[in-house]
Amino acid sequence: MDETTLRAPWPGLSGACDGIGRMDHQSEAAYIRSVCVEFLGEHLGSQLAALARPGFGLSPAGESRPAAGRSRLGGAALLDPETPWPYTDELPLSLYAVLDTDELAPWLGDELPVRPGLLNFFLDDFEDCRVIPADPASAVELRSPDDHAFATVPLHAKPGLSLPDMWWGGALEDLIEGFGLDPGPDLTSICDPEESVTSLFAGDDSPGGYYPGAIDVDQAFGWPLWIAPGDPLPDLRGEYTHLLHLSSNLGEWEFPKGGSLNFLIPRQALRDGDYSQAFVALDVG
């Protein structure tokens, strides 16, 4: 892929793209802010709402759910003609997914500061991964050298905004400490910091409220799902971008204990177009 193309910045959200535009983004951000302020107060609620990141819920494409360009699970990789299939220990990695970021970029805005085109996601033994970009104009289909491939599933991508996802029972004080938020002097008069986040937003005492964490069980970008104490996830306060979350529900694979995994990359590496720094974090449910 041409380096100039890879590092060209996106112009931002300047209009509609398949029904996705600036007003949709602003409307959802405003709604999330109103919910956060309603349940946490203006001081803390506005801080939490500011953490919202754009992403996409992923599901198999169908008649009413068009595919997001060439985004798909399994099948052949879409690589530049000179790019070889990745190996580890003399064994070819498995292709899990391809994301067509040309289709996703208008909604992502600054969350995708470079133009990578197609992103191919490879994995071996749930540890060794490769994320390889390709130019959509010249990419060719390349099948695995061992002729093993998961079934091809075109992907529909539904846009949304998400906040840092909390494990079930994760308390508000965990969220405050984990993301360096200022609770303010009046928080205890508004709610109990030891209460679980999900209970505060959607419990019996707050009908109609919701905590906008996960966009979907499987998703692209946004926040990683199911962050919990001891998970092998790094400090995510702005230093990493979440690229892809895959569960044991969407494809032909089965992760350990029915879990899931996240592909992540340091934000500076993403800005530099250095996908060699991408890594996976496995969640075993």
Side-chain angles (χ1 to χ4, degrees), residues 86-88 93 120-123 128-132 263 275 278:
Y87 278 72
T88 181
L93 275 67
N120 294 265
F121 293 83
F122 296 89
L123 189 64
D128 191 3
C129 79
R130 304 283 193 283
V131 178
I132 301 179
F263 287 83
Y275 290 90

Side-chain angles (χ1 to χ4, degrees), residues 5-100:
T5 301
L6 179 66
R7 302 193 180 190
W10 287 102
L13 301 173
S14 57
C17 175
D18 293 331
I20 303 170
R22 180 180 291 275
M23 288 307 297
D24 295 323
H25 195 287
Q26 290 180 344
S27 296
E28 185 161 357
Y31 181 64
I32 287 177
R33 186 183 189 282
S34 69
V35 170
C36 291
V37 169
E38 177 183 357
F39 294 109
L40 302 180
E42 176 71 31
H43 184 79
L44 179 59
S46 59
Q47 294 176 67
L48 178 59
L51 295 177
R53 288 184 177 180
F56 293 85
L58 301 177
S59 60
E63 290 186 4
S64 61
R65 302 186 306 278
R70 300 158 82 179
S71 299
R72 65 199 194 194
L73 301 178
L78 293 170
L79 299 172
D80 290 332
E82 69 277 8
T83 301
W85 192 277
Y87 278 72
T88 181
D89 295 331
E90 300 183 354
L91 295 175
L93 275 67
S94 297
L95 176 80
Y96 276 69
V98 177
L99 290 182
D100 188 341

Side-chain angles (χ1 to χ4, degrees), residues 90-176:
E90 300 183 354
L91 295 175
L93 275 67
S94 297
L95 176 80
Y96 276 69
V98 177
L99 290 182
D100 188 341
T101 65
D102 281 355
E103 295 291 319
L104 308 182
W107 177 255
L108 294 174
D110 292 340
E111 193 69 4
L112 187 64
V114 297
R115 182 172 181 169
L118 302 167
L119 289 179
N120 294 265
F121 293 83
F122 296 89
L123 189 64
D124 176 66
D125 291 334
F126 315 123
E127 293 180 0
D128 191 3
C129 79
R130 304 283 193 283
V131 178
I132 301 179
D135 185 344
S138 59
V140 296
E141 289 196 349
L142 185 64
R143 298 196 65 83
S144 174
D146 65 1
D147 205 32
H148 166 76
F150 296 116
T152 303
V153 180
L155 287 175
H156 172 70
K158 181 180 179 180
L161 296 178
S162 71
L163 295 177
D165 194 41
M166 296 295 292
W167 68 98
W168 184 256
L172 177 60
E173 60 186 4
D174 296 320
L175 188 64
I176 292 171

